[in-house]
C-alpha cells in the first residue's frame, strides 16, 4: 500500500528515543520532512542525524520541553518556518511517575496534568492553524492502554490520559469539517529504552531475571510477547497517511490484544 507521505511535513514530539523516535524514523523513511524534539539539545541533534542517515530525508532537531508552553510553540513554529507548512502532528511526552493515589499531592497531580494533558492541548493549539492553512491534516496523540483499561499503580497516567481521550474525541468532531482527522494510539507494553530501564529496576528489586520480569506482562498479552517500537510506528504512519481518510475520533490499542474491553 502506497502511503503517499512524500513531501509532507510532520512534527513528532518527545522523539529523541523510544516510541516518538520510531515514529519519526518511519515517517522520514516514507519521505516526510520531520521535526523532532526533546529536552536535551545534544540528544535530539544526534537522533536527527541518525534518522537522516537512515532515510536520506531532512530532519529538524528542536530542543523543547513539553512541560513548557513557550517551548511547544517554538517547536511547531520552527517546523513551519523551515518548511512553510504542516501536515501531521504526533503528540507525545514522557510518562508520569508510578504509584498509588496516596503517594501524590496536589503538586504531583498538576505536574502530571501539565506533562501529559496540557502538552497535548498546547501542541494541538499551536498546530491547528497551520493544519487548517494546509487544507487538512492529521493529529495523532500517543496515550496508553492505561487510558482504556486503568493499570495498577499508575493512577496519574490512568487519569491524565483519559482526559486526553475526551479532548481527542471533542477535537475530532470539531475539526472534521476542516478535514483534520484526530485519533489516539494507545500502546501496551512496547520494548523501548524506557521499558528496558523499568525492567532493569524490577530485576534488581526482585532479584529476578529479565525473562521473569517480562513474564509478568507477557502473560497478559494474547500475542505472547512485547511489541517493538517499529510495529507501533507502522500503525502511526498509516494513520498519518492519506490511506486513513475515513478514520477520526478513534482510540486504537497497539497492544498485542492486552486490552480486554469490547
Ligand atoms: P522513552 O523514555 O523511551 O522516550 C521518551 C522520549 O520523550 C525521549 O526522547 C525523551 O527525551 C522525551 N521526553 C521525555 N520527557 C520530555 C519532555 N518533558 N519534553 C520533551 N521530551 C521529553 O519512553 P517511551 O517508552 O517511548 O514512552 C513514550 C510515552 O508513551 C510515555 O509517555 C510513556 O509513558 C508512554 N507509554 C509507553 C509505553 C511503552 O510500553 N513503551 C506504554 C504505554 C505508554
Amino acid at each position: 500500500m502506497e502511503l503517499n507521505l512524500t513531501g509532507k511535513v510532520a512534527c513528532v514530539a518527545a522523539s529523541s528515543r523510544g516510541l516518538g523516535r520510531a515514529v519519526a524514523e518511519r515517517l522520514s523513511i516514507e519521505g516526510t520532512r520531520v521535526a523532532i524534539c526533546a529536552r536535551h539539545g545534544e540528544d535530539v541533534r544526534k537522533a536527527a542525524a541518525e534518522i537522516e542517515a537512515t532515510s536520506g530525508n531532512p530532519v529538524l532537531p528542536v530542543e523543547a520541553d513539553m512541560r513548557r508552553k513557550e517551548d511547544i510553540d517554538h517547536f511547531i513554529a520552527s517546523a513551519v518556518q523551515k518548511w512553510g507548512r504542516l501536515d501531521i502532528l504526533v503528540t507525545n511526552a514522557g510518562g508520569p511517575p508510578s504509584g498509588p493515589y496516596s503517594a501524590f499531592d496536589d503538586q504531583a497531580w498538576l505536574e502530571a496534568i501539565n506533562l501529559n494533558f496540557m502538552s497535548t492541548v498546547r501542541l494541538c493549539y499551536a498546530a491547528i492553524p497551520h493544519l487548517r492553512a494546509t487544507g487538512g491534516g492529521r493529529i495523532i496523540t500517543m496515550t496508553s492502554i492505561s487510558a482504556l483499561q486503568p493499570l495498577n499503580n499508575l493512577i496519574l497516567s490512568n487519569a491524565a490520559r483519559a482526559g486526553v481521550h475526551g479532548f481527542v474525541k471533542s477535537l475530532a468532531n470539531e475539526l472534521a469539517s476542516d478535514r483534520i482527522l484526530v485519533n489516539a494510539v494507545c500502546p501496551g507494553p512496547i520494548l523501548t529504552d524506557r521499558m528496558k530501564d523499568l525492567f532493569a529496576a524490577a530485576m534488581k528489586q526482585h532479584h529476578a531475571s529479565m525473562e521473569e520480569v517480562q513474564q509478568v506482562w507477557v502473560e497478559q498479552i494474547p500475542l505472547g510477547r512485547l511489541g517493538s517500537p517499529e510495529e507501533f510506528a507502522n500503525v502511526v504512519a498509516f494513520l498519518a497517511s492519506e490511506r486513513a481518510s475515513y478514520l477520526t475520533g478513534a482510540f486504537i490499542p497497539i497492544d498485542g490484544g492486552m486490552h480486554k474491553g469490547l
Side-chain angles (χ1 to χ4, degrees), residues 44-67:
V44 75
R45 283 190 292 274
K46 183 167 175 283
E50 288 169 0
I51 296 170
E52 272 187 356
T54 303
S55 71
N57 289 311
V59 178
L60 176 68
V62 179
E63 185 175 314
D65 187 334
M66 294 299 97
R67 294 170 296 187

Side-chain angles (χ1 to χ4, degrees), residues 14 16-19 39 64-66 92-94 161 187-188 190 192 194:
S16 64
R17 64 177 210 168
L19 300 178
R39 288 161 298 175
D65 187 334
M66 294 299 97
N92 184 31
R161 296 184 198 278
I190 311 277
T192 59
R194 177 172 181 269

Side-chain angles (χ1 to χ4, degrees), residues 91-172:
T91 78
N92 184 31
S98 58
Y101 106 94
S102 53
F104 303 117
D105 60 9
D106 199 76
Q107 186 58 30
W109 276 99
L110 287 175
E111 284 172 15
I113 287 165
N114 189 47
L115 177 66
N116 291 113
F117 181 77
M118 286 311 299
S119 67
T120 308
V121 170
R122 289 169 177 152
L123 281 161
C124 291
Y125 271 84
I128 287 166
H130 303 295
L131 297 173
R132 278 195 168 126
T134 301
R138 300 284 187 271
I139 297 175
I140 298 140
T141 68
M142 289 196 207
T143 60
S144 170
I145 187 181
S146 74
L148 302 173
Q149 174 178 298
L151 297 176
N152 290 343
N153 213 37
L154 276 175
I155 193 167
L156 294 178
S157 173
N158 297 340
R161 296 184 198 278
V164 173
H165 281 193
F167 178 69
V168 162
K169 196 70 181 172
S170 304
L171 214 51

